[in-house]
Amino acid sequence: MRALRLVILGRQGSGKGTQALRISETFGCIHISTGDMLRAAVAAGSELGRQAEEVMNAGGLVGDDIMNGIVAERLGADDIMANGVLLDGFPRTSDQADALERICADQGVAIDRAINLDVPVDVVRERMVARGREDDTPEAIDKRLALYEEQTAPLLDWFGARDLLTTVDGVGSEDDVFERISAVIGR
Ligand code: ADP
């Protein structure tokens, strides 16, 4: 199978993480979640973790320079060069998208497609309140959703302008949504 390089975009609580796991299992690309990487760093008490923890708990975004560095390093690893990647949680700002483009160019590779998992804001807010993760306080949820509209939604245009964007309806059962996504990737 050709190494696929995919990005999955969607609001917090859109089911991105769940679908990302299924995509990586089915299509063989390695799932990279920057949220998981940061939580692992916090748990390990590393320098990165210490820098990220406060920002994450407040619902803010970790700085672009830090994120771009982490992702550049991870994307250069042999397993990803061989198997491809599904990026989940990155890019999240246009600065990060520009960085991703440079990283890919340096490595002589390209992003194949960005999948936008579309779930209305009212639906994701309810889902996030229900899942009760430690960083899901009502204030943090509102802040993260507002930041999404402000910083991440413009990435839809960024990928669209490069003819790389496909929007998939993210409302429905996990299986139905996965079928829609598979149809896009399999194309
Ligand atoms: P959510 O989708 O609920 O925000 P994530 O697991 O994707 O959850 O991310 C958790 C937190 O990690 C974010 O709220 C943010 O503080 C930080 N984070 C993750 N990815 C990035 C990124 N690309 N840029 C900046 N901060 C990030």
Side-chain angles (χ1 to χ4, degrees):
M1 207 189 298
R2 192 172 60 91
L4 280 169
R5 288 184 177 74
L6 303 170
V7 171
I8 187 160
L9 298 165
R11 289 193 176 89
Q12 299 84 349
S14 62
K16 219 168 18 115
T18 308
Q19 296 295 336
L21 284 177
R22 294 185 64 165
I23 295 167
S24 65
E25 276 166 16
T26 304
F27 295 95
C29 44
I30 294 175
H31 175 211
I32 298 296
S33 156
T34 46
D36 287 349
M37 288 172 84
L38 292 171
R39 280 185 287 275
V42 171
S46 67
E47 177 57 30
L48 167 65
R50 278 196 293 274
Q51 288 176 22
E53 189 169 19
E54 215 174 305
V55 179
M56 289 171 75
N57 286 339
L61 290 180
V62 176
D64 286 332
D65 288 348
I66 294 179
M67 295 311 301
N68 295 345
I70 296 171
V71 171
E73 188 178 324
R74 185 66 189 90
L75 288 187
D78 290 344
D79 59 337
I80 288 184
M81 291 309 274
N83 298 295
V85 69
L86 172 63
L87 281 171
D88 166 9
F90 186 95
R92 234 184 178 88
T93 65
S94 38
D95 184 88
Q96 293 179 13
D98 291 338
L100 177 61
E101 197 166 50
R102 283 196 302 275
I103 295 165
C104 287
D106 287 348
Q107 297 177 351
V109 299
I111 296 296
D112 295 296
R113 187 132 298 274
I115 295 165
N116 173 34
L117 196 56
D118 188 32
V119 179
V121 69
D122 294 347
V123 178
V124 299
R125 196 193 309 273
E126 271 171 39
R127 287 185 189 172
M128 280 200 281
V129 171
R131 77 185 174 182
R133 213 170 65 185
E134 198 195 325
D135 57 348
D136 280 344
T137 61
E139 297 75 28
I141 289 172
D142 283 340
K143 178 155 179 202
R144 295 216 302 278
L145 286 173
L147 271 178
Y148 179 86
E149 302 307 328
E150 188 186 305
Q151 309 252 34
T152 309
L155 295 183
L156 303 180
D157 289 337
W158 192 96
F159 283 105
R162 287 158 180 78
D163 233 358
L164 290 174
L165 186 76
T166 305
T167 292
V168 170
D169 179 4
V171 179
S173 75
E174 217 177 285
D175 285 346
D176 285 347
V177 173
F178 183 63
E179 250 177 63
R180 292 174 203 146
I181 294 174
S182 297
V184 171
I185 298 174
R187 220 177 264 158

